[in-house]
Amino acid sequence: MLVEDVSVMVVEDDAFQRRMLVRLLNDMGVKKIDQAPEGQAALNILLERIEPVDIVISDLDMPNMDGMELIRHLGEQQSVGSVILTSGLDGTLINSVGTMARAYGIDLLGGIEKPVTQSNLGRLIKRFLLDGAYKQVNDPTPLIPFAEIRRGMLAYEFHPYYQPKVEIASGKVVGAEALVRWLHPQHGVVAPAKFIPQLEEAGLIDDLTWTVLAGAAGHCLKLRERGFDMTVAVNLSLRSLTNTGIAERMVGILRNANLDPSHIVLEVTETTAISNVGKVLENLARLRMKGFGLSIDDYGTGYSSMQQLSRIPFTELKIDRAFVADATRQERLKVMVGASLDMARELGLKSVAEGVESRSDWELLASLNCDVAQGYFIAKPMPFEKLCEWVPNWVPPDLR
Ligand code: C2E
Ligand code: CA
Ligand code: CA
């Protein structure tokens, strides 16, 4: 999503501060801005609008309807993507209201202690632009209770879907990424954003990893037996890599599946600065030694630094879709994608671009000599059976 496509509603009773906020947003390139002096007025505007608002920036303490009550109504209406809270009061209050907001199913981008500045507001808007792509407005399943997630795990309701990866130069399908889906008896297909954060928080993400890896290994073998020379990629939470013993366990899973680890690529995202660097490095080195491919996922989203790259024996670099999606329209992003690809080449890493959504994205990446493309332009994630039908029927864009 581009910053000029983002719609923002500013709810603030102080006219001066409201104007300041609007000006800051204008400076960042936000074009669609609504304003309201308190919660009820904000709700009235939301009711009249046809399109939902992406971000509501709300003060907490306001006359008539305050920020807390507004959040409750927003949670009930489900017409808003994300919320940013501002307050002259201290951070602990903002935090506790933040917890409340999540309980109402509101996606809280963050809280800002006033004064709001270009940098603290810009950081949260940027977070929205990076995450917003897979957070859907009007999502019908706001917050799934943890007990329900557990029940689903015990009932084997989590399965990998697969999104193909295509080599740009040859047009060949060279792999697929396993993306977990919860096939829920009532809610249907539930996306990972709904349960992975909770599993990570509860320290249960490893159980999911084992499920997905075992499924992916079995499916990869089936693909290879059908004559498709493909690797399968599995996402690995950084948190899992702080447990020693993970490499042995993963090798064991592949042994059971009768698959050589070299056919599996582990995609690792640096979501937070690594806390336990030693153990993470030990695990990654061991996994590489056992033959797994190692991919640095979401490259460009902030934490992945040159330093990390040089310390870990990665085999692949995956450029985040936030960069790829708009590279054809924004010169700045195109330059960054080009530079990342150059660096991958010099480090001897295979380059993969995710979020390839159009023919022009594909052509740009081809001109920049990117190795592999993945995205809706090629195919959306699909169940394994679909993938088996899809692969032999795939026609590369250059032959269409
Ligand atoms: P990711 O690793 O960055 O995966 C790519 C996400 O982008 C997927 O979302 C995919 O459906 C979506 N995507 C693919 N092509 C396009 C495109 O052209 N345009 C757009 N807008 N989006 C595209 P999904 O499946 O919802 O997964 C979200 C995240 O959840 C993944 O991000 C990954 O970090 C995590 N995840 C998924 N499966 C697992 C898993 O088994 N274990 C762990 N630890 N994390 C997982
Ligand atoms: Ca990934
Ligand atoms: Ca990504």
Side-chain angles (χ1 to χ4, degrees):
M1 197 182 220
L2 290 169
V3 73
E4 58 249 45
D5 297 329
V6 175
S7 57
V8 178
M9 155 108 62
V10 175
V11 192
E12 166 66 65
D13 58 318
D14 183 305
F16 173 74
Q17 294 189 28
R18 201 164 63 229
R19 269 202 305 281
M20 278 295 297
L21 262 167
V22 170
R23 178 168 330 147
L24 281 174
L25 288 165
N26 276 327
D27 288 349
M28 286 173 207
V30 178
K31 299 228 164 70
K32 304 183 205 165
I33 307 173
D34 283 308
Q35 303 178 42
E38 48 85 33
Q40 187 57 57
L43 287 177
N44 293 345
I45 296 175
L46 282 172
L47 280 177
E48 280 164 25
R49 282 181 59 107
I50 303 161
E51 303 233 302
V53 168
D54 294 313
I55 305 174
V56 169
I57 303 178
S58 179
D59 186 20
L60 286 182
D61 193 9
M62 294 178 292
N64 195 17
M65 186 188 289
D66 66 16
M68 264 106 29
E69 192 179 347
L70 173 63
I71 284 173
R72 170 156 49 81
H73 289 296
L74 292 178
E76 284 161 7
Q77 290 189 355
Q78 301 185 353
S79 56
V80 164
S82 301
V83 170
I84 294 173
L85 296 172
T86 63
S87 176
L89 303 165
D90 71 312
T92 23
L93 176 74
I94 301 184
N95 283 341
S96 69
V97 177
T99 313
M100 179 201 93
R102 289 199 187 91
Y104 284 130
I106 292 280
D107 172 48
L108 186 76
L109 282 172
I112 301 176
E113 254 178 85
K114 287 179 185 173
V116 179
T117 63
Q118 176 95 43
S119 94
N120 56 26
L121 182 61
R123 187 173 50 83
L124 297 179
I125 301 282
K126 196 174 147 210
R127 183 179 298 171
F128 177 85
L129 290 174
L130 291 178
D131 293 353
Y134 52 87
K135 280 195 195 117
Q136 287 171 3
V137 173
N138 279 332
D139 198 315
T141 52
L143 193 78
I144 301 174
F146 185 68
E148 175 58 12
I149 299 180
R150 258 189 113 127
R151 185 204 57 74
M153 298 259 289
L154 292 171
Y156 302 102
E157 288 171 3
F158 293 78
H159 300 276
Y161 269 36
Y162 294 94
Q163 187 176 36
K165 289 174 158 181
V166 172
E167 189 173 66
I168 296 177
S170 67
K172 267 182 55 184
V173 184
V174 290
E177 176 176 4
L179 293 157
V180 69
R181 296 289 181 269
W182 182 359
L183 307 184
H184 193 282
Q186 278 97 45
H187 301 307
V189 182
V190 181
K194 292 278 169 223
F195 49 86
I196 286 188
Q198 295 195 65
L199 283 174
E200 285 197 329
E201 237 162 76
L204 290 174
I205 192 73
D206 286 354
D207 294 327
L208 183 76
T209 304
W210 311 141
T211 307
V212 174
L213 182 65
H219 289 149
C220 182
L221 188 70
K222 282 197 183 139
L223 287 168
R224 305 189 70 79
E225 283 170 354
R226 288 179 192 212
F228 305 132
D229 184 12
M230 291 168 63
T231 57
V232 173
V234 172
N235 290 282
L236 198 55
S237 172
L238 196 63
R239 192 171 287 223
S240 305
L241 286 165
T242 53
N243 310 339
T244 39
I246 181 174
E248 286 313 316
R249 178 97 192 234
M250 295 178 84
V251 169
I253 289 173
L254 289 217
R255 199 178 300 125
N256 283 341
N258 209 6
L259 185 78
D260 193 85
S262 62
H263 302 311
I264 295 285
V265 177
L266 302 172
E267 297 191 0
V268 186
T269 314
E270 288 187 35
T271 40
T272 45
I274 303 179
S275 53
N276 207 328
V277 186
K279 276 193 182 159
V280 171
L281 288 179
E282 179 185 333
N283 269 319
L284 287 172
R286 187 172 296 128
L287 287 165
R288 182 73 200 109
M289 187 178 76
K290 300 286 186 191
F292 288 94
L294 294 182
S295 176
I296 181 153
D297 205 354
D298 297 344
Y299 185 76
T301 50
Y303 291 99
S304 35
S305 65
M306 281 294 287
Q307 202 198 1
Q308 306 284 13
L309 271 180
S310 60
R311 285 193 294 180
I312 299 172
F314 283 108
T315 53
E316 180 184 284
L317 182 133
K318 229 175 149 177
I319 301 171
D320 193 69
R321 67 171 178 277
F323 294 86
V324 175
D326 293 324
T328 51
R329 279 171 290 178
Q330 286 189 45
E331 185 60 26
R332 193 174 56 85
L333 292 177
K334 181 173 148 186
V335 169
M336 288 184 66
V337 170
S340 307
L341 291 171
D342 288 342
M343 187 189 67
R345 226 177 338 270
E346 272 165 38
L347 291 171
L349 304 178
K350 182 188 236 186
S351 52
V352 181
E354 62 174 25
V356 179
E357 291 188 349
S358 64
R359 178 176 279 270
S360 53
D361 292 346
W362 170 281
E363 282 165 358
L364 174 70
L365 292 161
S367 74
L368 294 171
N369 293 317
C370 178
D371 296 327
V372 174
Q374 178 184 350
Y376 296 165
F377 176 60
I378 298 156
K380 291 198 167 177
M382 59 189 108
F384 179 68
E385 299 71 37
K386 272 260 182 67
L387 181 78
C388 294
E389 291 165 24
W390 183 91
V391 175
N393 288 312
W394 156 252
V395 181
D398 304 337
L399 300 179
R400 282 179 215 165

